[in-house]
Amino acid sequence: MAVYEVKWKELAKYMTRQLSITLAVGFVVLMLIRYVSTGFSIETTFEHIHLNHIPFVFLGIFLFSLTFAFLISALLRCARVTISNETISGRNYWLFKKEFKLEDIEKSFLFSSNGMPVVVVDAGKNGDIYIPIHIENSEELFSILDKYQKSA
């Protein structure tokens, strides 16, 4: 039996970086839009927040991203993949446990599940398993899955 655990710390770092960048860029864009729409007036643009508080906004964005990413990646620790007796088991999109024979695999493909890259192992009517790319021994796991994938 082979068990492939999710590298949840690596996943948390990745998610923190992605979410921080997204939120920070969004904040900057909103401030630029407000700056232009107020006739290029810094006083009117920043009437609700002082300029010296802007670093605290970015710190808040980072702390929110870190907390959210940690909670999600801790939840995804349950997304381990197990291969035993020619059967694969793992979690689907909704984190419900799925299990099917390796020979039932029809295709596998890279997918972005809400911004998190995963490999979807599709077994047709038997369901699918979402495997985060941040998983231990991913090269070994994906080479095993490639052997069973039906060619089109």
Side-chain angles (χ1 to χ4, degrees):
M1 178 163 90
V3 178
Y4 302 92
E5 298 286 340
V6 175
K7 296 186 227 175
W8 69 277
K9 290 178 184 176
E10 185 179 308
L11 180 61
K13 288 178 188 176
Y14 172 81
M15 290 175 62
T16 299
R17 184 176 59 249
Q18 293 298 105
L19 188 57
S20 294
I21 290 170
T22 302
L23 293 176
V25 167
F27 176 74
V28 169
V29 167
L30 285 175
M31 288 296 105
L32 287 173
I33 291 171
R34 183 167 167 83
Y35 179 66
V36 170
S37 67
T38 59
F40 301 100
S41 169
I42 289 188
E43 294 80 26
T44 308
T45 301
F46 295 101
E47 66 186 350
H48 300 294
I49 185 170
H50 297 284
L51 282 175
N52 57 354
H53 292 160
I54 296 294
F56 295 112
V57 171
F58 286 105
L59 178 64
I61 287 172
F62 173 75
L63 291 176
F64 170 78
S65 300
L66 181 66
T67 304
F68 186 75
F70 176 78
L71 292 173
I72 295 299
S73 63
L75 172 69
L76 289 177
R77 287 180 74 181
C78 73
R80 74 180 58 84
V81 175
T82 306
I83 297 179
S84 174
N85 300 328
E86 300 296 316
T87 302
I88 183 170
S89 67
R91 303 289 174 160
N92 68 3
Y93 181 84
W94 301 105
L95 295 179
F96 293 123
K97 190 166 183 134
K98 295 299 278 182
E99 185 173 331
F100 47 81
K101 294 284 187 190
L102 287 170
E103 62 193 27
D104 293 338
I105 296 174
E106 293 181 2
K107 61 184 174 183
S108 60
F109 54 92
L110 191 60
F111 180 70
S112 179
S113 177
N114 297 320
M116 186 179 73
V118 296
V119 172
V120 179
V121 179
D122 186 7
K125 62 180 173 134
N126 294 319
D128 48 21
I129 294 176
Y130 282 58
I131 304 172
I133 63 166
H134 298 94
I135 197 158
E136 293 176 349
N137 302 322
S138 59
E139 298 85 14
E140 176 187 324
L141 173 62
F142 296 139
S143 69
I144 291 170
L145 296 176
D146 283 343
K147 292 177 191 173
Y148 289 93
Q149 184 171 308
K150 295 178 175 92
S151 53

